[in-house]
């Protein structure tokens, strides 16, 4: 157990270190791309807590991403709040939103839960558009450059610099990834996995499964919100399109591609799809067909995704 | 203008919308009821119906009623064919597992939507109504075609209801819905029933799309709204309950019409979702749901 535990921590440390040390090797052009991938991978990591480890599929996670994005973006836009307090506000908004949403939505289970998540996600998107006067939803807005400096312990970093973007994104991603790893390896995480495998039996054993699912949804929504807030601050754009159904389906796709229920799967899936989409965009305007095709391929031939399949075949110890 | 005409207009718009919604949602509820799967691509079948109607109008041209008749014939058949192909190529292979089916139908959604984008283009297309009659209601004139839409939708709803109650296929469907294994044991060709139900659900959505296109417009992204409303309807009505779906469709459709006419269509959708939240708090299984799905 302890050797496998050491191996797991070593693997994650190695992945994060590799991302940190890859900087001199990467061409300038890829800095922003990889930063974007890292932030979006956070979103997928959050999604994976719910889908991969609790067995709950959501089609409305863009709601939490957008809550984080607007929770961070609106205070900056209207009141000129600094980057770190804005990040905290975004995370708080999404945590609150996810907990409240869970209280209602978790009263349903199975496919009804899925439909309810999609419905609420879409309603949230429409709400952002409806209150356009305040949210500037349909056009989106750009955070002005002046407030986009990050003050950490007296040192000021310019968030417009791609190198800073990269490292900030990596920092947030590391926190999210390690948080999810800690959660799934904790006793609570074991309960979540037990719910995924058999909820009735878990309840029979005396666990309050409603609370556990609520916790999972809240953590998942909060991580998604942290990703949204980071995205707003690093890429300085806030818009309602990030609340659309497509942005709820993306984390599902990334997680499934990399392997649901593997801690590193979301990163792998996000990275692969990101570059696949860039490639497809050059070929056709209907590049979203790639999304559909990959989903179908996964369902038919690789339901466990890349790392899930690898775990089944080779490395049983992968968390 | 006083409030009276506004209310009458809202009621009429609401009823017409409710009839179309009932038709679309019935397709979704039928598929869920019998097969226990959620078809996320249902809205795309609706959109395909509308786009095929636009294509028919482009090909046949004059007279509009002939093009409309062609669309009414071709669209359900073509969409049912697409649905059957999807059932055969994908759904059957994942053994109708609920989660896999959802992922697969999301995939299908994007493939259908993006194919239409390539073939039909990104523009919305208007389609002429098969006839134009102006009904004079004193305060305002109302498009007679809209009332025909409502009539056709109600007729189809009755036809499905009769079909379920009186035909052998309907009996098979109800048997499969109640107990799939028992139905298999008693010689019901469950696999064929599944394929038929999936095609039928898709065809219902396609007909709704054809009916609605002279009122709205055909566009490759138009599938999302009917999908969302159908979802709201089946959750409020209770997953798997056909009666619940139809009743909920009328409640949601008419209130949607009222709020849309008096305030805004976006607000109507938001309010409908809040209604769902209330229903879930009070009665998680929906108004007419028998067991937790």
């Amino acid at each position: 157990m302890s050797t496998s535990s050491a191996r797991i921590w070593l693997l994650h440390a190695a992945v994060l270190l590799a991302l940190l040390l890859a900087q001199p090797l990467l061409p300038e052009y890829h800095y922003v791309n990889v930063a974007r991938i890292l932030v979006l991978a956070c979103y997928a990591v959050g999604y994976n807590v719910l889908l991969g480890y609790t067995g709950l599929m959501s089609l409305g996670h863009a709601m939490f991403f957008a809550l984080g994005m607007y929770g961070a973006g609106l205070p900056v836009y209207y009141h000129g709040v600094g980057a770190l307090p804005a990040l905290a506000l975004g995370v708080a908004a999404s945590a609150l939103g996810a907990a409240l949403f869970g209280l209602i939505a978790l009263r349903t289970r199975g496919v009804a839960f899925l439909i309810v998540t999609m419905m609420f996600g879409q309603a949230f998107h429409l709400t952002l558009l409806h209150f356009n006067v305040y949210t500037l939803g349909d056009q989106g807005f750009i955070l002005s450059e002046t407030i986009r400096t990050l003050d950490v312990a007296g040192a000021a970093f310019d968030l417009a610099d791609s190198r800073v973007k990269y490292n900030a994104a990596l920092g947030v991603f590391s926190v999210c990834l390690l948080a999810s790893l800690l959660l799934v390896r904790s006793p609570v995480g074991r309960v979540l996995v037990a719910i995924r495998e058999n909820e009735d039996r878990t309840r029979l054993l005396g666990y309050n499964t409603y609370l556990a699912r609520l916790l999972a949804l809240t953590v998942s929504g909060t991580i998604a919100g942290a990703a949204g807030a980071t995205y707003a601050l690093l890429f300085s754009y806030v818009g309602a399109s990030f609340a659309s159904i497509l942005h709820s389906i993306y984390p599902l796709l990334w997680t499934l591609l990399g392997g649901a229920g593997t801690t590193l799967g979301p990163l792998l899936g996000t990275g692969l799809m990101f570059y696949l989409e860039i490639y497809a965009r050059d070929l056709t305007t209907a590049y979203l067909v790639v999304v559909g095709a990959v989903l179908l391929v996964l369902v038919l031939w690789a339901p466990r995704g890349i790392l899930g399949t690898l775990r089944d075949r080779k490395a049983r110890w992968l968390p | 203008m006083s409030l009276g005409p506004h209310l009458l207009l809202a009621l009429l718009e609401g009823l017409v919308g409710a009839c179309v919604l009932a038709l679309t949602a019935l397709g979704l509820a039928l598929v869920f009821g019998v097969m226990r799967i959620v078809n996320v691509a249902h809205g795309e079948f609706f959109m395909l119906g509308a786009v095929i109607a636009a294509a028919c109008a482009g090909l046949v041209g004059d007279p509009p009623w002939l093009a409309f008749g062609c669309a009414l014939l071709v669209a359900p058949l073509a969409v049912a064919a697409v649905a059957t192909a999807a059932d055969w190529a994908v759904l059957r292979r994942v053994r109708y597992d609920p989660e896999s089916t959802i992922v697969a139908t999301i995939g299908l959604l994007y493939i259908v939507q993006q194919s239409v984008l390539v073939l039909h283009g990104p523009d919305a297309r208007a389609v002429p109504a098969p006839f134009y009659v102006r009904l004079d209601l004193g305060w305002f004139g109302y498009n007679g075609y809209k009332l025909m839409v409502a009539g056709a939708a109600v007729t189809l709803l009755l036809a499905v209801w009769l079909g379920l109650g009186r035909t052998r296929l309907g009996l098979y469907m109800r048997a499969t819905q109640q107990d799939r294994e028992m139905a298999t044991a008693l010689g019901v060709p469950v696999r064929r029933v599944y394929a038929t139900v999936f095609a039928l659900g898709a065809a219902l959505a396609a007909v709704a799309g054809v009916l609605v296109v002279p009122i709205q417009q055909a566009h490759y992204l138009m599938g999302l709204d009917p999908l969302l409303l159908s979802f709201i309807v089946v959750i409020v009505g209770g997953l798997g309950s056909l009666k619940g779906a139809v009743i909920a469709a009328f409640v949601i459709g008419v209130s949607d019409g009222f709020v849309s006419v008096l305030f805004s269509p976006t607000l109507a959708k938001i309010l409908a979702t809040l209604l769902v939240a209330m229903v879930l708090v009070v009665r998680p299984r929906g108004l007419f749901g028998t067991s937790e799905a």
Side-chain angles (χ1 to χ4, degrees), chain B residues 251-266:
Chain B
V251 174
I252 304 271
V254 171
S255 53
D256 188 75
F258 268 94
V259 183
S260 295
V261 169
L262 300 178
F263 301 101
S264 92
T266 314

Side-chain angles (χ1 to χ4, degrees), chain B residues 206-263:
Chain B
V207 171
V210 174
L211 287 175
V212 97
V213 80
I215 307 175
Q216 288 187 354
Q217 273 188 341
H219 186 245
Y220 79 107
L221 291 175
M222 73 189 292
L224 193 56
D225 268 0
L227 178 71
L228 180 69
L229 280 173
S230 301
F231 274 0
I232 291 176
V233 163
V234 295
I235 290 287
V236 171
L239 266 174
S241 163
L242 298 186
K243 187 179 70 177
V246 172
I247 294 174
F250 276 90
V251 174
I252 304 271
V254 171
S255 53
D256 188 75
F258 268 94
V259 183
S260 295
V261 169
L262 300 178
F263 301 101

Side-chain angles (χ1 to χ4, degrees), chain B residues 4-22:
Chain B
H6 263 118
L7 289 181
L8 179 63
L9 180 65
L11 181 67
L12 282 172
E13 291 286 302
L15 277 175
V16 172
C19 291
V20 176
L21 177 58

Side-chain angles (χ1 to χ4, degrees), chain B residues 83-106:
Chain B
T84 309
D87 177 71
W88 178 80
V90 185
L91 301 189
R92 209 165 49 104
R93 294 191 191 199
V94 299
R95 294 158 194 248
Y96 304 100
D97 169 69
E99 286 202 347
S100 307
T101 312
I102 283 161
V103 176
T105 51
I106 295 172

